[in-house]
Amino acid sequence: MRTVVAGAAICLSIVSLSIAQNVEAAIRKATSIPAQDLAVALQTLARDRDLQVVYRSELVGELRTQGATGDLTTTEVLAQLLRGTGLTYSFIGEQAVTIVPVSVPEASRAGSTSIDRAASAPATLAIDAADTSSDAGNSPRFWDRFRLAQAGPNAATAIDTASSGKAKPGPVEEVVVVGSRLSQPKDAGAAPVTVFDRGKIDGLGAASIADVLNYLPQQSFSVPEWQNPGGARRVQLRGLASGTTLILINGRRVVPGAVGSAQNYFDLNTIPLAAVERIEVLADSASAVYGADAVGGVVNIVLKSNVERPVLDLTYGTAEGGAAERRASLSIGGSTARARGSILWDYFNRDPLLGGDRDRTRNADFTRFGGIDRRTTTADPGNICSVDGSNLPGLPTPCAAVPVGSTGIGLTPASFLATAGQRNLDTPRRFSALVPESRRYSLVATGSYDVTDRIEAFGEFLYSDRTDAALGQPPSVSGGLVPATNPFNPFGVAVRADFLLTGLPETTGPAHETATRAVAGLKGALGSWEWEFSLLESRSTGEYANAGNVDATRLSAALAATTPSLALNVFGDGPGGNAALLSSLVAVPANTTYASNSVQAGGFLKGDLFMLPAGAVQVVGGAEWRHEAIGASSPTTNLDLTTDDAKRDSSSAYAEARVPVIGGTGVPLIREVDLTLAGRYDDYSDFGNVFNAQYGLEWRPLSALLIRASRGDAYRAPGLTDLYKPQQGPFPGTTLDPRRGYQSFTAVSTVGGNPNLDPETSRSSTIGLVWTAPFAGTPRFSASYWRIEQDRRIQTAVNMTTILANESYFPGRVVREAPTPADVAAGWPGKVVSVDASLINGGPLETNGIDFEVSARFDTSFGGISPSLSATRVQKYKTADFPSTPFAERVGIANYNGTVPRWRATGSLSWNRGGVSLTGTAHYTGDYADATFNVANGGHVESQTLIDLQAAIDFEALMGRSSGLARGVVVRVGASNLFNEEPPYSDVLGNGFDSTQTSTRQRFVYVSLSKTF
């Protein structure tokens, strides 16, 4: 009986589908689709007829259509668009059609529907949605068919074709979902999304995910590896602080890694670029969708999962003087009727680039740029001065430079007559690494298994092992006391010396980190609804060694030694002693170990809730639970932070709905209107609960024009390090006291976490448009105005000067002596004893600006030409240190925390024909006012445009061969910063350039070989 009922239901469904298709297909409508790229024409048809069009991207990517004009049915439009292309169509649902080659074998056409078609329409193919055959060669898996049916309105997706030529829906190319948990095409959604697909990534010649994101105008600045602990890389959209941009891997959040946890961010170098299929960027708050830390936006890293044939990738690149990179990756995959899996192994190795290999960091005399001379007197050869400021014995001056070429042996005061009153100056930065040495091993594995025709099990695994060594400048002797008993001292009295220990240049901060991330889950269909449940565990451990420093006690002993072999010789031009002596001065490395652990569980259910006249209301609801903990320890600094103390549990529930208010009217100005509503409830074990909401509007007044807007709230709890990092210090420091007439004084400060921090809150909004022109090249233009307001920002760098200038805001943080009678008479408080400089909640931030993007593709007799341009103009970026202090504008002013230029833009122009392609990319950074350690100095930093160029040859496409040596071989040759442009001069960091905006690596030339077997 059950079988009969099921059979009757299936038959009734087929009949109903056939009737519905006949009705929909028979409706005539005024149509005007011009001759253009076939893919664009199909997208226009999808929007105009509320039709889902499914096709394999490479099947139609190079084809053009003659267009369709007239009062036509849907099938007549399809017939006209596909005429002469060698393609046909078939309905696979009430409002879904697939595009396939005409040459599909008859055996695969079973189930073809008999709907109204024009006489010229080619043969059709229907895919039976009830087919559950297990024939892997001919029949689709249920999950793929389900995804086809659920891909969302107007989505143009792709299907695989079996090697036998039979059409079968394989794994569908995922539609862009970042910014929403509901499926949607790239150009839909209430907030704009930028996508770096694999083709664009390869065309940039980038070596890491962070390098790719440097081409994103919405990232106002980036911090180079040599400025981060362990060579880590991070992304900070809109110039907001670390930890305000959420990173996802395949749509699932990550947590800060071991070394990165010290500053509350995830290290992008953990993921090998070779394993990335695409990078999706939402530069807008999405806290109501993904969670609290999506204040500045979301970066979703989608990993490769469908490797049909083994692929070997080899890359080599180098800059002048160093920074040579070597990369090798191997991808393999396989599948059976029910199982699929792939593994990628990646190796990366890079040599350092030293400051001495670049003019800017080899010579810190910046007077040649209109700046000041920043060379130091800690030099080799060094400088000698008297202890009390009187003249040195036998010399007319208190100081003298050590003569160049001096051995330091047998000297007399007369040996210094020629250099009396002079100073040797040096640039220790010439010894340090501008690009740190790095080695990384990575393994990425993905797999899935069809448990039943409606349930799929899946898993992901990521392993990373990396070592980075940030070579620093040599230790130095500054004002070191050299007794008269030092056997090399020619003056007979104690003197002071400034000397650079160039015999110990390798002051390094090596860091080693291992990380694992494992995901396991189930997903499937429950009726017409899609569901998923997953478990995720990530663990990382790391060690950072502050090595190569000089032990002060050993140094003093060497300066005071009376035996020549044990005494440090600061009177010569050279290293100052033999290798054994110099090595004995090195202090025990100050090692710090870090740990980061996280366990997550989550699930969701999504589908069509009910129908409205304008279409189905799509909803998704789900829940998440997360436990995270960090740890850090260092015997030398008494740092002891355990994962039992620094931990947090959180649970969340969220819902999102897409409501079609108006649709399919065909009436200008009110064709389509959709609303998106999202809400998220988060409950933290240490900060209570909060609810965030987000709203979006999509209005399509014309088929070629989309107007959209979004508004959302965000709430970010302090990071675990912000709260629990132990107090460290006291550290001595000298500053000015504004309450005592700006007297200079020396006091001590302590730093660390603050368990009393409050959460940050923010609001964001976006409004913009997307226009796709219906003429040759199909130009696409988009513009968006965005605004972010942030309150109670956590200040990650607090100094004594800032606290003293706002002492009333910090009760109890400044400890003073009792005022003396003189202090009372002057109206002054007592002298400062100590300052608590641990983290605080600071003042607000307001920023807004406009994003622009334009792109097109022209098919000519000379090949395909694709220009594009994306740009961001920051109108305002104002911050207040504290709620009681006034705003300070940071747009267009150099800042050592990260400069925010008014303009950033990236443009590209690519050409391809017959397997040969050329891609040129221009990266523009606008000019801005210079500053010295955040104090305006009247200088000006010039704008800069860097040009990249790449040529690629696909030998299989070029030679038209599917076998032999040419099969699957692609070679790329390129150069970043082709014209070897030097950074513009800036004094913001005192090293001659603004490292948050530019790089001293300069021209980098590379070649890569990819072989698909």
Side-chain angles (χ1 to χ4, degrees):
M1 180 65 179
R2 184 176 302 174
T3 304
V4 173
V5 172
I10 293 173
C11 292
L12 181 59
S13 298
I14 294 173
V15 172
S16 298
L17 175 63
S18 179
I19 294 173
Q21 288 175 338
N22 275 281
V23 172
E24 292 293 335
I27 296 176
R28 293 187 175 275
K29 186 175 181 181
T31 304
S32 179
I33 301 178
Q36 57 188 303
D37 286 350
L38 178 58
V40 177
L42 291 173
Q43 293 169 7
T44 302
L45 170 64
R47 289 193 299 266
D48 187 58
R49 301 295 176 109
D50 194 23
L51 184 69
Q52 179 178 309
V53 182
V54 181
Y55 59 86
R56 184 160 49 92
S57 56
E58 61 267 28
L59 190 66
V60 302
E62 302 296 327
L63 297 177
R64 288 184 61 81
T65 178
Q66 297 303 311
T69 305
D71 192 23
L72 306 174
T73 66
T74 298
T75 53
E76 288 172 342
V77 176
L78 284 165
Q80 289 193 27
L81 292 180
L82 298 176
R83 183 180 293 117
T85 64
L87 303 177
T88 184
Y89 65 92
S90 176
F91 281 86
I92 57 174
E94 186 173 331
Q95 281 293 99
V97 66
T98 181
I99 307 299
V100 294
V102 173
S103 58
V104 174
E106 291 294 332
S108 65
R109 297 179 185 170
S112 176
T113 58
S114 56
I115 61 178
D116 177 31
R117 294 179 175 85
S120 59
T124 61
L125 167 67
I127 299 176
D128 182 5
D131 180 17
T132 58
S133 169
S134 61
D135 181 356
N138 302 313
S139 180
R141 297 183 292 121
F142 168 80
W143 183 247
D144 293 331
R145 291 194 301 275
F146 181 80
R147 289 167 68 189
L148 281 172
Q150 299 297 316
N154 303 334
T157 56
I159 62 173
D160 289 334
T161 299
S163 58
S164 62
K166 295 184 179 183
K168 73 178 186 76
V172 179
E173 180 183 338
E174 291 284 344
V175 292
V176 177
V177 296
V178 67
S180 171
R181 294 181 186 270
L182 297 170
S183 301
Q184 59 185 12
K186 175 180 181 294
D187 289 336
V193 174
T194 301
V195 179
F196 293 90
D197 59 23
R198 192 66 231 184
K200 186 178 294 186
I201 292 172
D202 290 337
L204 293 174
S208 67
I209 294 173
D211 290 342
V212 173
L213 295 178
N214 279 343
Y215 290 89
L216 189 70
Q218 291 91 339
Q219 183 176 211
S220 297
F221 57 83
S222 61
V223 181
E225 291 180 58
W226 61 267
Q227 286 184 242
N228 283 328
R233 298 293 298 275
R234 63 184 187 261
V235 57
Q236 296 175 241
L237 295 176
R238 304 301 188 196
L240 303 186
S242 296
T244 58
T245 299
L246 177 62
I247 306 298
L248 306 175
I249 299 178
N250 289 344
R252 300 177 185 88
R253 67 165 48 239
V254 300
V255 296
V259 176
S261 66
Q263 297 184 15
N264 197 37
Y265 63 84
F266 174 77
D267 180 9
L268 295 172
N269 282 340
T270 303
I271 307 173
L273 186 61
V276 175
E277 179 63 31
R278 67 179 184 273
I279 304 171
E280 304 167 351
V281 181
L282 171 73
D284 189 29
S285 175
S287 290
V289 178
Y290 292 110
D293 38 3
V295 177
V298 182
V299 176
N300 184 30
I301 301 166
V302 181
L303 302 178
K304 295 177 180 178
S305 61
N306 185 28
V307 180
E308 297 180 353
R309 294 155 57 187
V311 181
L312 175 64
D313 292 301
L314 302 173
T315 301
Y316 176 81
T318 187
E320 181 181 350
E325 295 179 355
R326 294 158 288 273
R327 178 186 290 277
S329 65
L330 176 64
S331 305
I332 58 175
S335 64
T336 65
R338 287 188 174 272
R340 294 146 301 281
S342 64
I343 297 177
L344 178 140
W345 174 84
D346 183 81
Y347 169 77
F348 174 82
N349 180 272
R350 181 182 60 210
D351 299 333
L353 174 68
L354 301 183
D357 292 314
R358 293 293 179 267
D359 173 73
R360 192 67 50 86
T361 46
R362 183 171 53 245
N363 179 9
D365 181 3
F366 300 129
T367 56
R368 63 191 187 277
F369 300 107
I372 63 176
D373 189 346
R374 289 198 174 276
R375 291 177 296 172
T376 69
T377 57
T378 52
D380 180 18
N383 299 282
I384 307 299
C385 293
S386 64
V387 174
D388 57 3
S390 60
N391 291 341
L392 288 167
L395 298 180
T397 60
C399 294
V402 173
V404 175
S406 169
T407 63
I409 299 174
L411 298 177
T412 66
S415 304
F416 291 82
L417 283 172
T419 59
Q422 300 179 17
R423 294 289 186 93
N424 288 320
L425 299 175
D426 206 342
T427 306
R429 187 79 170 89
R430 63 191 172 96
F431 293 96
S432 59
L434 301 172
V435 177
E437 183 179 1
S438 181
R439 177 206 49 78
R440 305 170 199 154
Y441 299 98
S442 304
L443 178 71
V444 178
T446 62
S448 62
Y449 178 76
D450 295 337
V451 180
T452 71
D453 288 332
R454 300 179 69 84
I455 299 177
E456 177 182 313
F458 63 90
E460 302 169 13
F461 180 76
L462 168 65
Y463 172 79
S464 173
D465 182 307
R466 63 182 187 84
T467 301
D468 294 85
L471 193 68
Q473 58 193 42
S476 61
V477 178
S478 181
L481 182 65
V482 186
T485 54
N486 183 299
F488 303 103
N489 186 344
F491 294 103
V493 298
V495 295
R496 293 196 177 275
D498 292 341
F499 184 70
L500 192 65
L501 292 166
T502 55
L504 291 172
E506 296 188 3
T507 302
T508 63
H512 177 250
E513 181 173 358
T514 60
T516 59
R517 177 181 182 272
V519 181
L522 295 171
K523 59 184 176 181
L526 185 63
S528 63
W529 289 66
E530 178 184 350
W531 61 268
E532 179 179 301
F533 174 78
S534 63
L535 291 171
L536 187 157
E537 182 179 36
S538 59
R539 293 182 176 273
S540 61
T541 58
E543 183 177 59
Y544 179 78
N546 187 4
N549 295 315
V550 167
D551 184 285
T553 302
R554 298 176 185 177
L555 176 63
S556 296
L559 290 172
T562 58
T563 303
S565 61
L566 301 178
L568 186 64
N569 179 7
V570 296
F571 302 93
D573 181 356
N578 57 47
L581 171 64
L582 295 176
S583 297
S584 70
L585 303 179
V586 178
V588 176
N591 294 333
T592 303
T593 59
Y594 298 92
S596 174
N597 306 324
S598 174
V599 178
Q600 305 175 46
F604 67 80
L605 178 68
K606 70 177 178 180
D608 294 345
L609 186 62
F610 56 84
M611 292 295 297
L612 292 177
V617 176
Q618 300 178 19
V619 296
V620 58
E624 297 175 348
W625 173 84
R626 182 170 73 256
H627 169 82
E628 53 186 313
I630 63 169
S633 64
S634 175
T636 56
T637 59
N638 297 320
L639 176 63
D640 186 17
L641 180 66
T642 70
T643 54
D644 291 330
D645 297 325
K647 61 184 179 180
R648 170 183 293 154
D649 291 338
S650 61
S651 55
S652 310
Y654 59 86
E656 185 179 359
R658 184 184 180 93
V659 182
V661 180
I662 301 174
T665 66
V667 179
L669 302 184
I670 56 172
R671 292 174 58 91
E672 295 177 16
V673 177
D674 292 338
L675 292 177
T676 302
L677 310 172
R680 183 182 179 97
Y681 174 85
D682 291 286
D683 187 7
Y684 298 91
S685 59
D686 50 357
F687 279 94
N689 55 71
V690 65
F691 177 80
N692 289 314
Q694 189 166 316
Y695 315 94
L697 170 69
E698 300 168 59
W699 170 33
R700 197 177 291 278
L702 304 171
S703 61
L705 179 64
L706 170 65
I707 297 175
R708 55 192 177 188
S710 66
R711 201 264 186 209
D713 299 324
Y715 170 102
R716 187 175 80 92
L720 294 177
T721 301
D722 300 336
L723 296 169
Y724 302 118
K725 185 176 182 180
Q727 296 289 313
Q728 293 178 274
F731 302 109
T734 301
T735 187
L736 304 177
D737 189 345
R739 296 184 63 192
R740 293 177 57 87
Y742 289 94
Q743 287 182 346
S744 176
F745 72 96
T746 299
V748 297
S749 64
T750 56
V751 299
N754 179 3
N756 298 314
L757 289 172
D758 293 324
E760 299 175 339
T761 60
S762 65
R763 300 155 301 284
S764 67
S765 55
T766 302
I767 183 169
L769 59 86
V770 181
W771 177 59
T772 305
F775 45 78
T778 320
R780 176 186 178 275
F781 172 81
S782 67
S784 298
Y785 169 83
W786 50 269
R787 179 184 178 89
I788 299 174
E789 297 174 342
Q790 192 176 14
D791 295 321
R792 298 184 300 190
R793 292 179 303 124
I794 296 174
Q795 302 276 37
T796 57
V798 186
N799 55 52
M800 286 195 297
T801 303
T802 301
I803 293 176
L804 290 171
N806 299 273
E807 188 173 340
S808 61
Y809 188 71
F810 301 103
R813 281 186 173 247
V814 179
V815 177
R816 293 178 177 271
E817 296 177 349
T820 65
D823 292 336
V824 174
W828 289 354
K831 294 180 179 179
V832 174
V833 176
S834 64
V835 176
D836 179 1
S838 57
L839 300 182
I840 59 171
N841 286 101
L845 176 151
E846 295 181 5
T847 181
N848 62 59
I850 303 175
D851 295 335
F852 304 92
E853 184 177 355
V854 60
S855 62
R857 175 180 170 82
F858 300 93
D859 290 321
T860 71
S861 58
F862 302 101
I865 300 175
S866 300
S868 68
L869 174 67
S870 59
T872 292
R873 175 182 169 85
V874 181
Q875 304 278 82
K876 178 171 68 174
Y877 189 103
K878 299 196 307 181
T879 62
D881 287 336
F882 310 104
S884 58
T885 58
F887 278 102
E889 181 61 76
R890 275 184 55 184
V891 174
I893 303 172
N895 190 290
Y896 62 71
N897 293 315
T899 301
V900 181
R902 191 166 298 279
W903 281 101
R904 282 172 61 91
T906 299
S908 68
L909 179 63
S910 63
W911 167 86
N912 66 85
R913 182 181 183 185
V916 179
S917 64
L918 288 174
T919 301
T921 305
H923 183 54
Y924 171 80
T925 303
D927 60 342
Y928 50 92
D930 198 11
T932 299
F933 300 102
N934 292 357
V935 177
N937 57 24
H940 180 79
V941 182
E942 297 178 352
S943 63
Q944 185 173 47
T945 302
L946 302 180
I947 305 297
D948 304 341
L949 184 64
Q950 183 191 94
I953 302 178
D954 184 334
F955 283 92
E956 184 174 336
L958 178 67
M959 303 174 66
R961 297 179 181 178
S962 59
S963 62
L965 295 178
R967 185 173 185 258
V969 174
V970 178
V971 175
R972 293 182 175 87
V973 179
S976 301
N977 190 359
L978 178 66
F979 299 108
N980 202 29
E981 294 286 337
E982 293 186 0
Y985 173 74
S986 172
D987 196 45
V988 66
L989 290 169
N991 58 14
F993 68 102
D994 185 350
S995 58
T996 70
Q997 293 298 323
T998 188
S999 169
T1000 53
R1001 187 181 71 167
Q1002 298 176 210
R1003 181 166 52 219
F1004 184 82
V1005 181
Y1006 61 90
V1007 58
S1008 70
L1009 168 67
S1010 178
K1011 168 65 176 176
T1012 302
F1013 296 93

